[in-house]
């Protein structure tokens, strides 16, 4: 009888120990499983590479020297609420042509305005008081273009020219985002040595005459905005 009691206690102890060992094994497996299931690594998305560099005074000329060789387009159409204006850009003023084509392909001019209008003189476009246009400029870059006034082109009626930067500079460096068109009969040849003529209107002078007649404030800004809806390359 004593033997049976001892045997029963022994079996009971062994069974409990076996269950405890089994639990430890299960726990060990569970812990090991957690170690094996490593968390996925967080990947930082790469910034998309810019197709073109952000332009500065240091890299703009080198950029346009290459760009003008690969982009030979030389005609554009400006669409306004008053009608369309077609412009022939001059290949001899290669940096200014390339700049205008580049900005056209970047859709920079879309939504800008003819912000300065002087009847019997000029209409000037490519700017705006809209914050989105300023943001667009910052994305393209900040740079100026040197004058190119010795190609034989004059500020005749319909001439397309580039104004100097708003910053006073002795070399008449041009603001690349703006342009003006001579509306005056007989032209304005006294501007020839001051600003770079880089194209001429080949269709739409009647549209320019209409824009030139809009009412302006004391700062020559039209009282009703004259938008450039779109500038596109044409053949």
């Amino acid at each position: 009888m004593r033997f049976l009691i001892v045997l029963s206690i022994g079996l009971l102890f062994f069974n409990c120990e076996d269950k405890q060992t089994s639990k430890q094994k299960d726990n060990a497996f569970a812990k090991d499983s957690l170690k094996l299931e490593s968390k996925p690594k967080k990947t930082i998305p790469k910034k998309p590479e810019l197709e073109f560099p952000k332009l500065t005074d240091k890299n703009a000329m080198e950029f346009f020297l290459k760009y003008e060789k690969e982009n030979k387009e030389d005609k554009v159409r400006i669409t306004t609420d008053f009608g369309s204006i077609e412009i022939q850009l001059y290949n001899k003023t290669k940096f200014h042509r390339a700049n205008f084509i580049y900005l056209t392909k970047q859709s920079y001019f879309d939504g800008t305005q003819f912000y300065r209008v002087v009847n019997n003189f000029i209409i000037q476009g490519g700017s705006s008081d809209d914050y989105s246009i300023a943001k667009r400029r910052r994305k393209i870059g900040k740079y100026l273009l040197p004058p190119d006034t010795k190609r034989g082109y004059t500020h005749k009626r319909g001439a397309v020219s580039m104004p100097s930067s708003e910053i006073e500079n002795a070399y008449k460096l041009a603001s690349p985002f703006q342009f003006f068109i001579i509306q005056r009969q007989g032209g304005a040849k006294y501007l020839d040595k001051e600003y770079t003529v880089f194209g001429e209107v080949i269709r739409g002078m009647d549209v320019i005459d209409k824009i030139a007649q809009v009412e302006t404030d004391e700062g020559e800004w039209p009282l009703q905005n004259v938008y450039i809806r779109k500038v596109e390359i044409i053949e």
Side-chain angles (χ1 to χ4, degrees):
M1 185 69 177
R2 184 178 295 173
F3 173 76
L4 288 174
I5 292 171
V6 171
L7 181 62
S8 296
I9 292 171
L11 288 172
L12 182 63
F13 176 80
F14 179 79
N15 192 36
C16 288
E17 187 179 30
D18 186 58
K19 283 182 180 178
Q20 187 67 25
T21 304
S22 177
K23 259 185 189 179
Q24 288 174 355
K25 284 182 180 178
D26 287 345
N27 288 339
F29 180 78
K31 286 178 183 177
D32 288 342
S33 297
L34 289 173
K35 287 179 183 178
L36 290 172
E37 291 176 6
S38 58
K39 294 180 181 179
K41 293 180 180 179
K42 290 183 179 179
T43 56
I44 300 172
K46 291 183 179 180
K47 292 182 179 179
E49 292 184 8
L50 295 175
E51 185 180 358
F52 299 110
K54 190 170 185 177
L55 297 178
T56 67
D57 285 330
K58 291 183 178 180
N59 68 6
M61 296 305 290
E62 183 180 353
F63 171 78
F64 285 123
L65 184 63
K66 181 180 179 182
Y67 189 85
E68 68 91 16
K69 293 175 182 176
E70 298 173 351
N71 298 265
K72 297 294 186 181
E73 299 91 342
D74 61 0
K75 290 188 183 72
V76 296
R77 179 185 294 121
I78 300 173
T79 301
T80 76
D81 293 334
F82 291 79
S84 297
I85 304 163
E86 293 183 7
I87 293 172
Q88 172 72 62
L89 302 174
Y90 298 145
N91 290 316
K92 286 184 179 179
T93 50
K94 57 185 178 181
F95 292 111
H96 296 73
R97 180 195 65 80
N99 173 75
F100 203 90
I101 291 297
Y102 176 68
L103 294 180
T104 297
K105 289 186 176 182
Q106 297 298 307
S107 300
Y108 165 73
F109 294 112
D110 300 359
T112 59
Q113 300 170 30
F114 281 107
Y115 62 93
R116 184 188 177 206
V117 172
V118 184
N119 194 17
N120 197 34
F121 182 36
I122 64 167
I123 63 171
Q124 187 161 316
S127 190
S128 172
D129 55 1
D130 191 321
Y131 174 74
S132 65
I133 303 301
K135 187 177 178 181
R136 205 179 294 174
R137 284 191 186 195
R138 285 198 298 272
K139 186 177 178 182
I140 293 170
K142 185 178 182 180
Y143 61 101
L144 299 174
L145 294 178
D148 192 358
T149 60
K150 298 180 180 179
R151 302 293 179 178
Y153 303 126
T154 64
H155 285 80
K156 63 184 180 180
R157 174 172 160 83
V160 182
S161 188
M162 194 170 288
S164 295
S165 164
E166 294 174 358
I167 302 171
E168 288 294 327
N169 64 86
Y171 299 102
K172 292 289 183 181
L173 298 177
S175 172
F177 297 103
Q178 301 169 10
F179 63 96
F180 64 88
I181 301 172
I182 299 295
Q183 183 250 345
R184 174 183 292 168
Q185 293 287 350
K189 293 185 178 181
Y190 59 89
L191 299 177
D192 291 351
K193 294 181 181 179
E194 301 294 319
Y195 308 100
T196 301
V197 176
F198 64 98
E200 65 180 90
V201 174
I202 54 176
R203 183 175 296 174
M205 280 305 300
D206 58 324
V207 176
I208 292 168
D209 289 334
K210 289 176 185 176
I211 294 173
Q213 293 172 25
V214 302
E215 191 175 354
T216 63
D217 62 17
E218 292 179 357
E220 299 173 342
W221 190 293
L223 295 181
Q224 291 188 337
N225 291 333
V226 180
Y227 284 102
I228 295 173
R229 298 298 178 183
K230 187 177 183 181
V231 177
E232 58 192 324
I233 294 167
I234 57 175
E235 294 183 0

